[in-house]
Amino acid sequence: MFSGQTYWLIGASEGLGRALAQQLSDAGATLILSARSADRLQALANSLPRARVLAFDVCDPQAVADAFAQAGEIDGVIYCAGFYEPMRAQDWQAEKVDMMLDVNFNGAVRVLGHVVPAFLRKDRGHIVLIGSLAAFRGLPGAIGYGASKAALMHLGENLYADLGQTGVKVSVINPGFIRTRLTDKNDFNMPAIQTPEAAAKAVQKAMQSNRPVQSFPFWFSLVFRVGRFLPAGMFRRLMKGSDTA
């Protein structure tokens, strides 16, 4: 599936994105690596046989437009850019909430505003949105982050509803906890936490499936997927003592 295909991987400099770049490259993909950190991207690109760097800030509309123009012909886009700050409503930090919404959701909207029309013109392409289990229900300590990921998941479902009968494939992939510099901010127990490499394998497998929305790890994600249909009070009791995913 990936051999001979060019994927634009946005959010490639750290964690899951970096591990996914390595695995997709091993599977034969050509990669355009994007994030803000040109130096980290270049170090990664130097270790891969078919990769180039396209550094930009997803929060800057003109930078997004310029990056899309420079990316050229692509077969797929993976939006893996993310910002996270654990936060309860009692400790609201407006600037950080705005940043989570802008990076996690608005950045994807800016990118897709260019990518979707281009994919539709040729009636092919693959849109991959990396969400979170935090998207399924409101959680304690997830102000900003949970809302941004819920919006991203909803956007992906909208895209699938519109594009399901076209040649454009949509994959919304919701991981649980991944051991990265972002989850290092958490001071609570993180069940079923995975390494970036293990999570990247799960993402790669999900990308090969035709299911539009997928979540992992399976048993841990089941709590959130089933919890979506529970009464709010019951779900709150179920989540007592946890913060976010």
Side-chain angles (χ1 to χ4, degrees), residues 67-169:
F68 173 74
Q70 293 172 49
E73 185 71 16
I74 59 173
D75 299 292
V77 61
I78 305 168
Y79 194 83
C80 192
F83 178 70
Y84 167 64
E85 193 69 37
M87 189 186 309
R88 292 180 179 271
Q90 295 90 331
D91 305 309
W92 195 291
Q93 300 173 62
E95 185 175 339
K96 290 181 178 179
V97 172
D98 287 349
M99 181 62 74
M100 283 186 271
L101 294 171
D102 210 21
V103 173
N104 299 347
F105 177 66
N106 292 333
V109 172
R110 293 185 188 105
V111 169
L112 293 175
H114 299 282
V115 169
V116 171
F119 281 0
L120 283 173
R121 282 194 293 271
K122 58 187 181 183
D123 195 33
R124 65 178 180 86
H126 190 186
I127 296 167
V128 182
L129 303 178
I130 305 298
S132 168
L133 296 184
F136 284 94
R137 290 292 298 259
L139 297 169
I143 291 294
Y145 184 76
S148 68
K149 291 298 188 178
L152 188 69
M153 183 166 69
H154 197 95
L155 173 64
E157 292 177 348
N158 291 153
L159 287 169
Y160 179 74
D162 287 340
L163 305 179
Q165 301 304 312
T166 73
V168 181
K169 180 179 178 179

